[in-house]
Amino acid sequence: MAKYEEEKLGPMKLIFNYNNVFYSFFYDDLSGCIHRSREYALNYVYSGEMILDNGTEKIHVHKGECVFIPRDHHITMYKKTYEGERYCGIFLMFTRNFLREMYGKLSINKAKATTQKLDNGVIKLPKTVELASLFASMTPYFDLDVKPKDNFMELKLQEGLMALLAVDHRFIPTMFDFNEPWKIDILGFMEENYMCDLSIEEIAHYTGRSIATFKRDFKKISDLTPEKWLIKKRLERAYELMKTGKKKVVEVYAEVGFRNPSHFSTAFKKHFGIAPTAVIG
């Protein structure tokens, strides 16, 4: 049976998941969201506009255009109305298990599988017949009363993968690399991403470690646990923002990675001995 999920995120946003194929409806301009995916993905804009910001450049994706997003990639994504049309998009996610299965089924050119990989960044794809045909066949499912038949979206994922491989042969070594990610510097990653809503398990993954190895390696560089290090770092940043930037609690708590103001205020008072409102006042 095809997996179907509906997620209602307020009155202006709907996301439908059909077996790792996501249909997004944004009925109004919303603030940017941080996008992270452990898997490779294609994101097609059916209407409206999507802006991808990696910190150094902004990539604008308009109606009929498609981008490739590599796995473990950190990017800010804005989905907006454009020329009077709301944002609608299709997101295909290629999981590790799916790619392993497809590698066994496809007649992969072994020579091309060992060639140079693509750079680890978002790629705006050229308009090809294969991609155009793929998404044209999927757009009827923007009608919320029409649901795909069993396993149909699995076939669309396969077609999406084939269309992607047809764009550039370097997608072969990129997509079918099943090695564990290289270990990267723990503190360097955490200093850069401490304000993001990441679990310790996710941080371990992004630094190329199992959770047990991550905790063992972290002990070598800090007397604090990873959880306490994150809280301390976030609180110190919040103090700075309120003291020098004159920002209020409601402006700061989410920015530094806390999920609600109550948790933030409790942690702040425990760490500094004063309420966060006392810093501003």
Side-chain angles (χ1 to χ4, degrees), residues 54-69:
N54 63 11
T56 58
E57 67 172 334
K58 292 183 179 180
I59 300 173
H60 293 256
V61 189
H62 294 112
K63 183 175 182 178
E65 296 182 325
C66 182
V67 292
F68 170 77
I69 302 176

Side-chain angles (χ1 to χ4, degrees), residues 27-58:
Y27 294 87
D28 202 350
D29 291 347
L30 299 173
S31 59
C33 64
I34 302 297
H35 172 86
R36 292 177 214 86
S37 176
R38 293 188 178 185
E39 315 295 350
Y40 296 110
L42 286 180
N43 204 324
Y44 172 79
V45 175
Y46 177 70
S47 63
E49 179 186 30
M50 178 171 61
I51 303 173
L52 304 174
D53 186 351
N54 63 11
T56 58
E57 67 172 334
K58 292 183 179 180

Side-chain angles (χ1 to χ4, degrees), residues 48 57 106 203 225:
E57 67 172 334
L106 299 175
I203 294 174
T225 65

Side-chain angles (χ1 to χ4, degrees), residues 14 43 45 60 83 126 176 185 189 196 221 243 250 263 271:
L14 285 173
N43 204 324
V45 175
H60 293 256
E83 294 185 347
F176 297 110
D185 178 65
F189 179 87
C196 298
I221 57 177
K243 188 70 174 179
V250 292
H263 180 209
H271 184 74

Side-chain angles (χ1 to χ4, degrees), residues 9 40 42 47-48 107 132 141 161 237 241 251:
L9 304 173
Y40 296 110
L42 286 180
S47 63
S107 299
Y141 295 99
L161 177 62
R237 177 56 177 162
L241 289 172
E251 299 174 297

Side-chain angles (χ1 to χ4, degrees), residues 11-125:
M12 295 297 181
K13 180 177 177 182
L14 285 173
I15 296 178
F16 294 84
N17 176 10
Y18 303 103
N19 202 22
N20 290 324
V21 176
F22 298 80
Y23 283 74
S24 300
F25 300 78
F26 285 59
Y27 294 87
D28 202 350
D29 291 347
L30 299 173
S31 59
C33 64
I34 302 297
H35 172 86
R36 292 177 214 86
S37 176
R38 293 188 178 185
E39 315 295 350
Y40 296 110
L42 286 180
N43 204 324
Y44 172 79
V45 175
Y46 177 70
S47 63
E49 179 186 30
M50 178 171 61
I51 303 173
L52 304 174
D53 186 351
N54 63 11
T56 58
E57 67 172 334
K58 292 183 179 180
I59 300 173
H60 293 256
V61 189
H62 294 112
K63 183 175 182 178
E65 296 182 325
C66 182
V67 292
F68 170 77
I69 302 176
R71 69 181 183 187
D72 299 339
H73 194 66
H74 180 285
I75 198 163
T76 304
M77 183 181 294
Y78 301 89
K79 298 175 180 179
K80 304 165 66 68
T81 56
Y82 186 75
E83 294 185 347
E85 292 187 320
R86 70 185 182 188
Y87 173 85
C88 294
I90 305 174
F91 183 89
L92 280 67
M93 185 170 69
F94 304 110
T95 66
R96 195 180 185 91
N97 288 338
F98 169 79
L99 291 173
R100 282 188 182 278
E101 181 181 343
M102 291 302 296
Y103 186 78
K105 289 182 178 180
L106 299 175
S107 299
I108 299 295
N109 185 315
K110 304 303 181 183
K112 287 184 178 180
T114 59
T115 58
Q116 183 180 3
K117 297 180 183 179
L118 292 160
D119 293 335
N120 187 36
V122 172
I123 300 172
K124 193 170 185 179
L125 298 173

